[in-house]
Amino acid sequence: CWDGCVVPVVAKVSPAGNMFQNVAVLALSFLNLGISNTGGCKNGRYHGYGDMNYEDGGFYSGEWRNGVRNGDGTMKFSSDNEEGRKTYIGEWRNDVIQGFGIMRWRDTNPYNVTMYEGYWENDTEHGNGSVVWHNGDMYNGNWINGTYTGNGTMLWGNGNSYSGEFFDGTQMGHGTMIWANGDRYVGDFINGEKRGYGMYNFSDESFYIGEFKNNLLDGKGTYNYSNGNLYIGR
């Protein structure tokens, strides 16, 4: 539906021209900008299901309401985006990504794909969601304004894992860290470091319970050696 729909250009449509002449002028105005749309109209605005080609190379196919993307749709963003080619499949509200959806980022290597699946608010990850990076790292948990904040689980490609509290993308609060070599820490974290009170189990079956600072055993604590010896620090 071209005739009668609001377009993002000023088109010189002759009131005296017939419908086909007017449509031709509108179509030419779109083509001059590299923009085209096919779909339904309501009250002079895009409405219902339709497709839009953007001048920067982007493409949207999905639902519209009152001239803006609203409902379920697929958006392939411009390949010139600095984050790499992005493709989003999911919900829109008033022309922004909002609700549940999947975003894929792909750089020049077609196998280097990062994918986020979860909830969005105002074009950013917000709520529960999971991300898989192209290097094999994975996160599943809560997001606030585009960063993982709250409770979640991080799995690294090297075999390490963390489950617990995050703030602004960093371990913050109480959590459990497990290393690929079998070491395990349960306790407090501040800015990604072991800091506060916790228990560290070593792969040789020795363990320490006590205070930590800057990722190190620091302060009062008890060290139980695998041979049965015991050290109590004061």
Side-chain angles (χ1 to χ4, degrees), residues 12 38 40 60 70 77 86 89 114 137 147 192 198 213 233-234:
K12 296 181 179 179
T38 58
Y60 173 81
N70 203 104
F77 294 84
K86 297 193 301 182
I89 303 173
T114 295
D137 294 348
T147 63
K213 185 177 181 180
R234 302 182 187 280

Side-chain angles (χ1 to χ4, degrees), residues 27-83:
L28 181 61
S29 299
F30 269 107
L31 292 174
N32 286 339
L33 290 178
I35 302 172
S36 65
N37 175 278
T38 58
C41 298
K42 183 179 180 181
N43 298 324
R45 296 180 180 273
Y46 304 129
H47 197 88
Y49 191 89
D51 299 335
M52 173 73 83
N53 288 287
Y54 295 86
E55 61 179 321
D56 64 359
F59 173 77
Y60 173 81
S61 179
E63 295 179 278
W64 299 77
R65 182 178 298 172
N66 297 323
V68 297
R69 294 165 291 188
N70 203 104
D72 292 326
T74 298
M75 180 74 194
K76 293 184 179 180
F77 294 84
S78 169
S79 58
D80 296 332
N81 191 289
E82 62 182 11
E83 297 175 312

Side-chain angles (χ1 to χ4, degrees), residues 30-215:
F30 269 107
L31 292 174
N32 286 339
L33 290 178
I35 302 172
S36 65
N37 175 278
T38 58
C41 298
K42 183 179 180 181
N43 298 324
R45 296 180 180 273
Y46 304 129
H47 197 88
Y49 191 89
D51 299 335
M52 173 73 83
N53 288 287
Y54 295 86
E55 61 179 321
D56 64 359
F59 173 77
Y60 173 81
S61 179
E63 295 179 278
W64 299 77
R65 182 178 298 172
N66 297 323
V68 297
R69 294 165 291 188
N70 203 104
D72 292 326
T74 298
M75 180 74 194
K76 293 184 179 180
F77 294 84
S78 169
S79 58
D80 296 332
N81 191 289
E82 62 182 11
E83 297 175 312
R85 183 81 183 200
K86 297 193 301 182
T87 301
Y88 173 78
I89 303 173
E91 296 179 277
W92 296 76
R93 186 178 301 169
N94 295 326
D95 223 31
V96 298
I97 297 174
Q98 184 131 338
F100 185 84
I102 299 173
M103 180 77 81
R104 290 183 175 90
W105 293 263
R106 187 188 302 272
D107 62 19
T108 53
N109 183 339
Y111 298 102
N112 287 347
V113 178
T114 295
M115 184 183 77
Y116 170 84
E117 179 175 358
Y119 289 90
W120 298 76
E121 185 172 305
N122 294 325
D123 287 335
T124 60
E125 302 92 331
H126 193 90
N128 190 263
S130 60
V131 64
V132 179
W133 288 272
H134 63 77
N135 64 359
D137 294 348
M138 296 181 288
Y139 170 81
N140 180 60
N142 197 64
W143 296 72
I144 295 179
N145 296 327
T147 63
Y148 28 102
T149 296
N151 289 307
T153 299
M154 176 73 80
L155 303 174
W156 285 273
N158 61 10
N160 297 343
S161 67
Y162 171 84
S163 182
E165 296 177 288
F166 289 85
F167 179 77
D168 201 20
T170 303
Q171 298 109 308
M172 179 79 78
H174 190 81
T176 299
M177 182 79 189
I178 302 175
W179 285 264
N181 67 355
D183 288 1
R184 177 188 182 97
Y185 171 77
V186 180
D188 299 324
F189 287 83
I190 295 179
N191 295 325
E193 296 182 340
K194 299 184 292 292
R195 182 186 291 263
Y197 187 85
M199 178 177 180
Y200 195 106
N201 292 85
F202 296 87
S203 58
D204 64 359
E205 298 186 352
S206 60
F207 63 92
Y208 168 83
I209 302 174
E211 296 176 320
F212 290 79
K213 185 177 181 180
N214 298 327
N215 276 331

